[in-house]
Amino acid sequence: AQSVSQHNHHVILSEAASLELGCNYSYGGTVNLFWYVQYPGQHLQLLLKYFSGDPLVKGIKGFEAEFIKSKFSFNLRKPSVQWSDTAEYFCAVNFATSGTYKYIFGTGTRLKVLA
Amino acid sequence: NAGVTQTPKFQVLKTGQSMTLQCAQDMNHEYMSWYRQDPGMGLRLIHYSVGAGITDQGEVPNGYNVSRSTTEDFPLRLLSAAPSQTSVYFCASSSVGGVPEAFFGQGTRLTVV
């Protein structure tokens, strides 16, 4: 079955520290990849997405992610986090073949940034 | 620009009661879906639809029904609420062409007592 794994469930960083959140998926076909962010009490918002081309994609608020096909990974990075980045981050995969358009989400990573 | 609209935002039910969570989108998206979000479990897919008249089960469909009579609306019905259905529910929609970015509603916080 298709699945998405996020290995870090809780991450605590100080401001200005660098961030990397891992995401791996289990599907060998064509995929679209996403990172969403959920600020406390709010709905999910798109941070960035990858569907083809340059495997290094840049999103909003200084976030970027790298797609490594051989590793089935799509890790999220930010060079210097801010207190306002405190949120929950979800990796998602859309399986785009065989008429399947389901989104599968990872279990999320709660990031707390200490001021 | 309404996007995806969910109602209600909060609901308290007694065990055994039924109710319908409403979801509407105005982006002419073919794909709509319902998720529940529980602590430590991320978003789990309940049901989804790829177009009017077409629905399918997701990961956790038991206790829920859906229908898709129009492109715009995708209601989620709880037939007989149970405490295990206490959760936050999100509706999402996306196109099936191009890159299908999902747009989410604001969520419904449901408590079953």
Side-chain angles (χ1 to χ4, degrees), chain A residues 24-59:
Chain A
N24 289 90
Y25 62 94
S26 63
Y27 182 70
T30 302
V31 294
N32 298 311
L33 299 157
F34 305 83
W35 276 97
Y36 285 86
V37 60
Q38 185 180 32
Y39 298 104
Q42 297 189 23
H43 65 294
L44 276 76
Q45 303 169 45
L46 182 70
L47 264 183
L48 48 77
K49 61 189 176 188
Y50 170 82
F51 57 100
S52 67
D54 189 343
L56 184 64
V57 293
K58 296 192 183 298

Side-chain angles (χ1 to χ4, degrees), chain B residues 43-86:
Chain B
L43 278 80
R44 291 183 292 169
L45 182 64
I46 304 172
H47 286 284
Y48 66 101
S49 168
V50 296
I54 306 169
T55 63
D56 205 348
Q57 295 181 349
E59 185 184 357
V60 287
N62 292 341
Y64 307 95
N65 273 359
V66 292
S67 59
R68 184 94 180 269
S69 55
T70 67
T71 300
E72 293 78 20
D73 300 298
F74 191 46
L76 178 72
R77 297 184 188 84
L78 281 71
L79 306 174
S80 177
S84 60
Q85 293 178 305
T86 293

Side-chain angles (χ1 to χ4, degrees), chain B residues 2-7 22-26 32 34 91 104-106:
Chain B
V4 180
T5 303
Q6 275 184 249
T7 56
Q22 301 291 344
C23 176
Q25 53 92 8
D26 61 359
M32 296 186 74
W34 278 101
C91 177
F104 285 83
Q106 296 285 337

Side-chain angles (χ1 to χ4, degrees), chain A residues 66-85:
Chain A
E66 184 175 14
F67 170 51
I68 303 179
K69 188 174 182 179
S70 61
K71 295 185 177 180
F72 299 91
S73 70
F74 190 55
N75 293 353
L76 181 71
R77 299 194 292 248
K78 186 170 184 178
S80 176
V81 295
Q82 300 173 314
W83 178 81
S84 57
D85 293 325

Side-chain angles (χ1 to χ4, degrees), chain B residues 7-8 11 13 17-21 76-79 108 110:
Chain B
T7 56
Q11 183 70 50
L13 289 179
Q17 285 185 316
S18 62
M19 80 159 294
T20 299
L21 307 185
L76 178 72
R77 297 184 188 84
L78 281 71
L79 306 174
T108 297
L110 174 68

Side-chain angles (χ1 to χ4, degrees), chain A residues 36 38 43 46 51 101-103, chain B residues 31 35 37 99-102 105:
Chain A
Y36 285 86
Q38 185 180 32
H43 65 294
L46 182 70
F51 57 100
Y101 299 100
K102 284 191 291 185
Y103 271 81
Chain B
Y31 181 78
Y35 296 86
Q37 184 179 27
V99 179
E101 171 188 341

